[in-house]
Amino acid sequence: MSIAIVGAGLAGATAATELRKQGYREPITLIGGEAHLPYERPPLSKGYLMGRQPFEKALVHDRGWYDEHGIELMLGTRATAIDLERRTVQTEPAAGDGESRAVRFDQLLLATGATPRRLDLGDGVGPMVTLRTVDDSDALRAAFRPGARMAIVGAGWIGLEAASAARQSEVEVTVFETAELPLLRVLGPELAQVVAELHRGHGVDLRLGTRVAPADLVGADLVLAAVGVTPAIELAEAAGLATDDGVLVDARLRASDPRVYAVGDIAAHDHPVLGRRIRVEHWDTAIRQARTAARNLLGAEEPYTRLPYFFTDQYDMGMEYVGSVGPDGYDRVDIEGSTDVLAGHAFRAFWVKDGTVAAAMHVNDWDASRVIRESVGAAR
Ligand SMILES: Cc1cc2nc3c(=O)[nH]c(=O)nc-3n(C[C@H](O)[C@H](O)[C@H](O)COP(=O)(O)OP(=O)(O)OC[C@H]3O[C@@H](n4cnc5c(N)ncnc54)[C@H](O)[C@@H]3O)c2cc1C
């Protein structure tokens, strides 16, 4: 029995790791479009972008590990088609060496991640980049000079982390956001306001409620489009798998074909605890779903029940968030502690819906990690 994994990012490499850990000895082929060994992306907008962390620290494993564990790594190789009848993944020729191949599989794991949305603002706008890969991060860092002017479109996690890294490199930063506050949809107005104050306090020119126009970007040395990502589902769609803003997977992460699983940023998961379909674009989910799917590929039949979790670091602020506020929103948010983050204070926040905590977070209060996790789902 052989397993092919398409997408050699965090989820793909973690699944390969778990398969071997579970004692699976048959062939594993890991196919990745990027030329780099599988790596973690969070440092690309934080320590690595600021030149404080080497790339090697972001690798899931060094090259020797894949050899030692008998994992065939096909890097710099894009999968172009999946044939579910014949059980093959067609690949394009890897850069430089040649031939397209049909990789045979008995079971398949899809972990193709997501692709940044692009902005088309016409001619006359300075160089525009997105931030997803280590090459993107290198390009951005090359433009970090004291006094350089950077425009960031989108005040989501990536835009704000890039703003923080740029300010710490003495770059002049303007952020454009259509919503009235940064991260408004995730945090709600009470906490989004805290994020706005944090960035303004560090000298970011934050232009909220603003749809960016080409004229706004004329003086910028560099423009970062940080306007979200779309799940890379083209292969799955063309293969006839059920998709809808993600590859549709059941509670056990299985796609509409029982030999196929999907995990990480592409998986639109029927979450058994939340009781709704959710696609999560976070580091922890990529790792945990990959482990569960690997065990299920080996017959475990485990539902994936973990609640979404993410972290961010911006300036001196670190935070962790657990849970998910559903489409009906929340009734109130309880805040414990001081939200004066610029003064170095710490706090916890609990979003409550119908007397139950839907999501919780702490800022700069690392002892609270467990408390916030355990609070989600509890009465309050
Ligand atoms: C700059 C940045 C910072 C982040 N910071 C945080 C953070 O602080 N906290 C947090 O929780 N999350 C963070 N994230 C999100 C987190 O990194 C992602 O959720 C995670 O990488 C998803 O893993 P994945 O394996 O599903 O996808 P990816 O890591 O994107 O890997 C998918 C891989 O599949 C490859 N691929 C796609 N199509 C094909 C194909 N046809 N053939 C072959 N290969 C293909 C891609 O090239 C890619 O290498 C950050 C993301 C970015 C970009």
Side-chain angles (χ1 to χ4, degrees):
M1 191 187 81
S2 60
I3 295 176
I5 302 173
V6 181
L10 180 58
T14 303
T17 309
E18 184 69 16
L19 285 168
R20 287 297 184 237
K21 211 173 132 198
Q22 293 293 324
Y24 174 74
R25 307 241 171 281
E26 307 288 315
I28 301 174
T29 310
L30 184 52
I31 305 166
E34 292 181 69
H36 307 282
L37 288 168
Y39 60 92
E40 306 198 351
R41 298 183 196 278
L44 306 182
S45 51
K46 307 180 189 69
Y48 180 79
L49 180 57
M50 289 185 279
R52 296 180 188 167
Q53 179 184 323
F55 180 56
E56 289 64 36
K57 278 199 83 173
L59 294 179
V60 179
H61 299 294
D62 61 21
R63 182 170 286 279
W65 185 91
Y66 297 92
D67 298 338
E68 283 158 27
H69 290 81
I71 288 159
E72 186 184 1
L73 258 184
M74 295 175 68
L75 297 179
T77 307
R78 289 194 70 76
T80 51
I82 295 164
D83 187 329
L84 292 171
E85 288 278 296
R86 294 207 174 97
R87 300 192 197 173
T88 54
V89 177
Q90 195 67 40
T91 66
E92 68 179 15
D97 67 23
E99 284 181 15
S100 66
R101 263 181 65 185
V103 176
R104 280 200 49 81
F105 64 83
D106 294 301
Q107 295 190 89
L108 179 67
L109 180 70
L110 295 174
T112 46
T115 317
R117 285 201 198 100
R118 301 205 168 257
L119 266 184
D120 185 8
L121 290 170
D123 300 333
V125 173
M128 190 166 332
V129 296
T130 54
L131 179 51
R132 181 78 191 175
T133 66
V134 63
D135 303 322
D136 296 339
S137 185
D138 289 341
L140 204 53
R141 175 144 56 116
F144 279 10
R145 277 170 282 100
R149 283 164 304 177
M150 183 176 168
I152 299 177
V153 185
W157 299 112
I158 303 284
L160 294 174
E161 289 179 0
S164 157
R167 288 301 298 139
Q168 291 177 75
S169 307
E170 293 171 56
V171 173
E172 300 301 325
V173 177
T174 308
V175 176
F176 298 89
E177 167 60 51
T178 48
E180 295 302 321
L181 285 168
L183 295 170
L184 183 59
R185 247 183 341 125
V186 196
L187 299 181
E190 302 87 348
L191 276 307
Q193 182 61 38
V194 174
V195 176
E197 281 160 19
L198 173 73
H199 281 269
R200 287 199 166 122
H202 281 93
V204 172
D205 180 358
L206 195 53
R207 307 216 186 148
L208 301 170
T210 305
R211 183 160 292 281
V212 73
D216 294 321
L217 305 175
V218 169
D221 298 307
L222 186 71
V223 180
L224 171 65
V227 289
V229 293
T230 46
I233 56 170
E234 301 79 4
L235 277 180
E237 232 169 11
L241 292 167
T243 59
D244 179 15
D245 183 43
V247 176
L248 301 188
V249 293
D250 67 12
R252 288 166 297 176
L253 303 164
R254 197 183 347 220
S256 55
D257 181 307
R259 290 159 301 185
V260 183
Y261 287 76
V263 290
D265 283 9
I266 56 156
H269 173 227
D270 191 358
H271 199 293
V273 177
L274 295 175
R276 62 189 151 87
R277 203 170 272 290
I278 184 169
R279 192 173 64 75
V280 178
E281 296 164 358
H282 295 311
W283 173 90
D284 180 74
T285 306
I287 295 175
R288 306 281 180 155
Q289 287 190 342
R291 289 181 186 154
T292 300
R295 293 191 291 270
N296 287 345
L297 280 161
L298 304 180
E301 305 274 337
E302 264 178 53
Y304 181 79
T305 56
R306 192 172 161 88
L307 292 169
Y309 159 88
F310 70 84
F311 62 93
T312 183
D313 293 308
Q314 297 170 33
Y315 313 101
D316 292 332
M317 181 195 81
M319 69 110 115
E320 294 182 290
Y321 178 109
V322 181
S324 168
V325 172
D328 300 336
Y330 58 94
D331 301 327
R332 63 172 210 274
V333 55
D334 294 348
I335 297 171
E336 295 175 358
S338 162
T339 57
D340 189 356
V341 177
L342 277 170
H345 290 294
F347 68 92
R348 303 170 185 185
F350 303 86
W351 286 264
V352 181
K353 173 78 181 160
D354 298 333
T356 303
V357 177
M361 107 180 170
H362 79 78
V363 168
N364 293 336
D365 183 2
W366 296 93
D367 292 339
S369 298
R370 218 165 114 205
V371 176
I372 62 159
R373 176 168 294 284
E374 287 172 357
S375 74
V376 178
R380 189 174 172 104

